[in-house]
Amino acid sequence: MKTSNLFSILISIFLLSSCGGGDDDSGPAGNSLTATVTGDITASFNASGEVQGQKLVQATLSSTGSGDVLSIVASEGTGNSMSIAITDYDGGGTYSLAITSSNTATFTSVDTQSFETTGVTAISGSIEITVNGDVINGAFNFDGEGNDDIQAEVSGEFSVTPEAQ
């Protein structure tokens, strides 16, 4: 009996390890974004990979006449989504999400029963960014407000490799 259990474990390890690796483009996307939302909206948000060939977290880095813009859009596939835009992106550092800032962050939740949306937009907070080669890592924390005096605190992190536009 112990031999068959050991054999089963070894086969399982072999099968699991043979599923990874490779450099083809059919694998899951490397971008990810997680967040915890508390207050009038509560959620545990976790987006990464792909569903039917569509990346659940997309990041772009665009050059404009006034500077670079880092945009991140994430969806769980359940209707919950999050977006972050840093309009004055200049690499690693701290970026303000104050209501007077042009940087934005939003969280939107969809009730799967009624299909009603509820969302909050950052009115205060910040994003701390570190850059490691092409990968941009960030941690964010913001207080958000929405329609009908809805309030929530949103905190989380992301890791993205943006596409240039």
Side-chain angles (χ1 to χ4, degrees), residues 54-124:
Q54 296 295 316
K55 292 180 182 178
L56 295 179
V57 180
Q58 296 183 353
T60 57
L61 187 56
S62 307
S63 293
T64 67
S66 60
D68 291 339
V69 177
L70 175 64
S71 299
I72 303 167
V73 178
S75 173
E76 286 182 310
T78 61
N80 293 341
S81 62
M82 183 147 187
S83 65
I84 296 172
I86 301 174
T87 58
D88 55 353
Y89 180 75
D90 191 28
T94 302
Y95 295 87
S96 173
L97 288 171
I99 199 164
T100 57
S101 169
S102 59
N103 302 323
T104 62
T106 61
F107 175 81
T108 304
S109 177
V110 176
D111 183 330
T112 57
Q113 300 293 330
S114 66
F115 299 105
E116 291 182 26
T117 61
T118 306
V120 292
T121 300
I123 59 166
S124 66

Side-chain angles (χ1 to χ4, degrees), residues 11 16 19 54 71 89 95 112 133 140 160 165:
I11 292 296
L16 288 173
C19 292
Q54 296 295 316
S71 299
Y89 180 75
Y95 295 87
T112 57
F140 54 88
V160 297
Q165 288 202 342

